[in-house]
Amino acid sequence: MKKFLAVYTGTAAARAKSGWDRMDAKKRDQAQAAGMQAWGEWMAKNAARIVDGGGPLGKTKRTSKDGIADATNHMAGYVIIEAASLAAAAKLFTNHPHFSIFPGDAVEIMECLPVPEA
C-alpha cells in the first residue's frame, strides 16, 4: 500500500457559500454535532486505512532564504492514509463531512513519495 497525505482546505469563499456564519447559534451547534458525528463515522469506517489521524492546523510561518515571516494558506487540517492508488485514496473522501456538512472547501490528496537515494 502507498501512503497519502490528505490536506483539508478551507477558503473564505467556501465558508460564505456554506452559510455557516449566517446560521443562528442553535442551528450551527446542531450542524457542528452532526458534522463531528459524521467525521467520527468516516474515521471509524476508514480506520484500517488511517496511518496518522492528523488533526486541525494552526497559524503558519514561512521560513526561506529571506528569513521567517507570517504566511497564509488554505490548509485547515490533515490525515495520512494508505491506499492502493491515488484514485483509490481520493475516492475515500467523496462527500467527506469536511465539505458536505462543515464549511470546508475540499480535500487535496497527494502521495507521500520515498526520499531519493543519493
Side-chain angles (χ1 to χ4, degrees):
M1 289 285 202
K2 298 176 180 182
K3 288 184 184 176
F4 297 89
L5 172 66
V7 177
Y8 302 108
T9 62
T11 63
R15 190 175 180 99
K17 184 177 178 182
S18 76
W20 189 264
D21 294 327
R22 294 186 303 275
M23 291 181 193
D24 63 56
K26 183 178 178 182
K27 188 173 182 179
R28 191 171 37 251
D29 287 348
Q30 290 171 339
Q32 174 89 18
M36 292 308 295
Q37 180 176 344
W39 204 305
E41 291 168 358
W42 183 91
M43 294 289 285
K45 177 181 174 185
N46 294 290
R49 300 243 181 257
I50 297 171
V51 175
D52 179 339
L57 297 172
K59 294 184 179 190
T60 304
K61 290 280 189 189
R62 182 173 191 269
T63 303
S64 71
K65 65 181 178 182
D66 297 325
I68 300 172
D70 290 336
T72 59
N73 58 54
H74 299 297
M75 292 183 269
Y78 77 98
V79 64
I80 299 175
I81 60 165
E82 288 183 326
S85 67
L86 179 56
K91 190 172 183 176
L92 294 175
F93 294 91
T94 302
N95 295 318
H96 191 280
H98 174 68
F99 54 79
S100 65
I101 297 174
F102 288 111
D105 183 50
V107 181
E108 296 182 8
I109 302 98
M110 62 218 80
E111 185 175 353
C112 300
L113 300 172
V115 176
E117 294 184 25

